Amino acid sequence: MFSVALVLWALVDAALLVWSAGAWLRDRKNNALLLQVILLLLLWFDVLTVAVGGWLGDGPLLQTMSRIRYTWFYLTMPLLLIAVGALARQANFAWAKPKWVIGLICIVATGFIVTDTPRILVAEFQVACYGDTLRHVGRVAVGEACPGGVEGAGGWFKSLSIPVTFLSVTLMGLLLWIRRGWPWLGLSALAFMGATAIPTAIITPFLTYPLDSLMTAAFVVTAIKFAPAAHPAKA
C-alpha cells in the first residue's frame, strides 16, 4: 500500500519539477526559483527509491540508489539556505540587499557541503522496514526494524545543515507572512517542521514526504510571487 502511494507521489514531485522548471525558463533572473529547480531535480528519485525498496530488496541496486539519494540530499540541501537569501533579496528586505549578506550565506552553505558530502559518501546504511516498504536509513527507528533487525541500530553523523536550513526557511516564511502578508511559505514550513518533531512510531515515517513537497511548492510559488524587481523596496 505504501509503496504504490509513494510511486504516485514520485510522479507528483516529477510534475512539480517540470512546472517549476517551466516557470524559471520564463524568468531566468529569478535565482530563488532556479535554486528550487535544482533541489527538485532528484526529489522524485528520492521518493521513488523508497517506493521500490520493498520490491527490489536489500541488494546492490537499492544500495546504489540509496547512496545517490542521500548524497544528492546533503549536496543540495545547503542550496536551500542560499535560496532563502535570494528570496529575501527578491522580496526587497533591506537587510538582505548588501552583497556581503548573500556572500556570507554562500560561505556557510559551501561549508556544509564540504563537510557533509564526503561523510555521507562513506556512511553505513541500516535497513528499515515499514508496511510493505524497505529502505536504507542511518538509524533504525522504533517500529521500523525488519525481521531479524534491531530497533535503534546504526547512527550517522550529526549535521547542522538540516536544522539550520529548515529553520531559515521557516523564519523566512514567517517574515513574509508578517511583513508582506504572504502566509503560504510560513504555514507549509510550520506544518513540515511540526511533522518532523513527531516520532515515526506515532505517525508513519512518510508523512513528511507530501509535506516536504507542499513546502517546496509553496517556496516555488513564493519565488514567483516575489520575482526580481516585481515590488518596490521595503524594509
Side-chain angles (χ1 to χ4, degrees), residues 16 31 44 48 66 76 81 91 99 102 105 110 116 137 149-150 153 158 164 166 175 180 189 206-207 210 226:
L16 179 58
N31 293 326
W44 63 271
L48 185 65
S66 297
T76 60
L81 192 62
K99 290 183 178 180
I102 195 69
I105 294 174
T110 301
D116 289 351
V137 296
V150 179
K158 300 294 184 181
V164 168
F166 285 126
L175 192 59
R180 301 291 186 264
F206 308 124
L207 179 60
F226 296 96

Side-chain angles (χ1 to χ4, degrees), residues 66-86:
S66 297
R67 187 72 65 185
I68 294 171
R69 170 196 175 203
Y70 283 114
T71 302
W72 181 258
F73 175 82
Y74 282 98
L75 184 63
T76 60
M77 175 56 56
L79 297 182
L80 185 53
L81 192 62
I82 302 175
V84 170

Side-chain angles (χ1 to χ4, degrees), residues 1-12 44 47-48 51-52 55:
M1 179 181 70
F2 287 110
S3 294
V4 174
L6 288 169
V7 168
L8 295 176
W9 201 258
L11 294 175
V12 171
W44 63 271
V47 179
L48 185 65
V52 302
W55 302 326

Side-chain angles (χ1 to χ4, degrees), residues 10-226:
L11 294 175
V12 171
D13 286 335
L16 179 58
L17 167 62
V18 172
W19 172 65
S20 302
W24 177 74
L25 288 173
R26 293 188 293 272
D27 183 10
R28 300 193 183 191
K29 294 181 180 180
N30 196 326
N31 293 326
L33 182 56
L34 170 61
L35 289 165
Q36 278 295 339
V37 171
I38 295 173
L39 286 161
L40 278 165
L41 285 175
L42 287 187
L43 183 59
W44 63 271
F45 180 83
D46 184 293
V47 179
L48 185 65
T49 299
V50 177
V52 302
W55 302 326
L56 295 179
D58 181 22
L61 178 56
L62 183 62
Q63 291 179 17
T64 300
M65 293 175 68
S66 297
R67 187 72 65 185
I68 294 171
R69 170 196 175 203
Y70 283 114
T71 302
W72 181 258
F73 175 82
Y74 282 98
L75 184 63
T76 60
M77 175 56 56
L79 297 182
L80 185 53
L81 192 62
I82 302 175
V84 170
L87 181 59
R89 298 189 76 184
Q90 291 175 200
N92 281 307
F93 287 109
W95 56 265
K97 288 298 183 179
K99 290 183 178 180
W100 68 265
V101 174
I102 195 69
L104 179 60
I105 294 174
C106 289
I107 291 173
V108 173
T110 301
F112 285 143
I113 293 173
V114 170
T115 56
D116 289 351
T117 304
R119 291 190 287 180
I120 198 62
L121 286 171
V122 297
E124 294 186 2
F125 292 138
Q126 304 295 322
V127 182
C129 297
Y130 189 91
D132 61 343
T133 67
L134 183 151
R135 71 192 195 283
H136 291 118
V137 296
R139 180 179 179 275
V140 180
V142 175
E144 296 184 34
C146 297
V150 179
E151 293 179 352
W156 279 345
F157 59 91
K158 300 294 184 181
S159 172
L160 284 175
S161 66
I162 298 173
V164 168
T165 299
F166 285 126
L167 180 60
S168 298
V169 174
T170 304
L171 292 176
M172 186 72 251
L174 293 175
L175 192 59
L176 287 169
W177 190 351
I178 295 169
R179 300 298 297 275
R180 301 291 186 264
W182 182 261
W184 309 117
L185 180 59
L187 287 172
S188 61
L190 286 172
F192 177 80
M193 293 286 282
T196 60
I198 303 174
T200 57
I202 299 176
I203 60 173
T204 77
F206 308 124
L207 179 60
T208 56
Y209 285 60
L211 291 177
D212 183 23
S213 299
L214 177 64
M215 182 175 63
T216 301
F219 201 113
V220 170
V221 172
T222 302
I224 295 172
K225 165 69 176 178
F226 296 96

